[in-house]
Amino acid sequence: MNGYAVEEVPAQVCCGALHAHAGLADDARALARANIAAFGDGDAAIVVNSAGCGAQLKGYGDTAFAARVRDVTELLAAAGPLAGAAIGGRVAYDPPCHLLHAQRIADPPLRVLAAVPGLEVLTLPDAAQCCGGAGMYTLVEPALSRAVLAPKLEALRAAAPDAVATGNPGCVMQIGAGLRAAGLSYPVVHPVELLDASYRRAGLYA
């Protein structure tokens, strides 16, 4: 819908982010070498829809591979993106640390959300603070992870959005689990999912 031809790369492997977080540096480097070989030469963008993976892939040293990596919202924002049909509602956008702080990407996800007519995007207090997922913190530091998440949950409770949008699966799981534990039923989605819903309602995929 936004003018990009998408090609899958079957030989790609895990980005190695969780291995790096766990201190398994040799395993992370082996995965990086496998990905660099799988994607080969060329200048086509390597598109990632996970902030944590994107940060890891952009960190593959001073390589041509790393220079090609883009978050999906970067490409969509560069293309416009095309507006779809109105879906309405209020969404709280929570910027993932690996997108905002590690990759310095702030505006593109908001431009993706702005392409959905009728969608009110809420800016919550201290939204740029970590949700407590922090790679593997949910597993290795559960008490601290929950303590970091608590203020964000209170802000979401006060805002009462129809949905929460964030661009990293670790954040989706962390915030989603926290909301469920707090008895709050707001769905947690990737910003592109809302754009996709808008396109489907507009009949653009027919």
Side-chain angles (χ1 to χ4, degrees), residues 4-7 9 39-47 64-70 75:
Y4 295 107
V6 180
E7 298 180 10
V9 180
F39 282 85
D41 298 328
D43 56 4
I46 298 168
V47 189
F65 176 101
R68 293 164 58 192
V69 177
R70 297 287 184 275
L75 290 188

Side-chain angles (χ1 to χ4, degrees), residues 21-22 133-145:
H21 291 319
M136 297 182 67
Y137 253 54
T138 304
L139 300 176
V140 299
E141 296 286 351
L144 179 58
S145 176

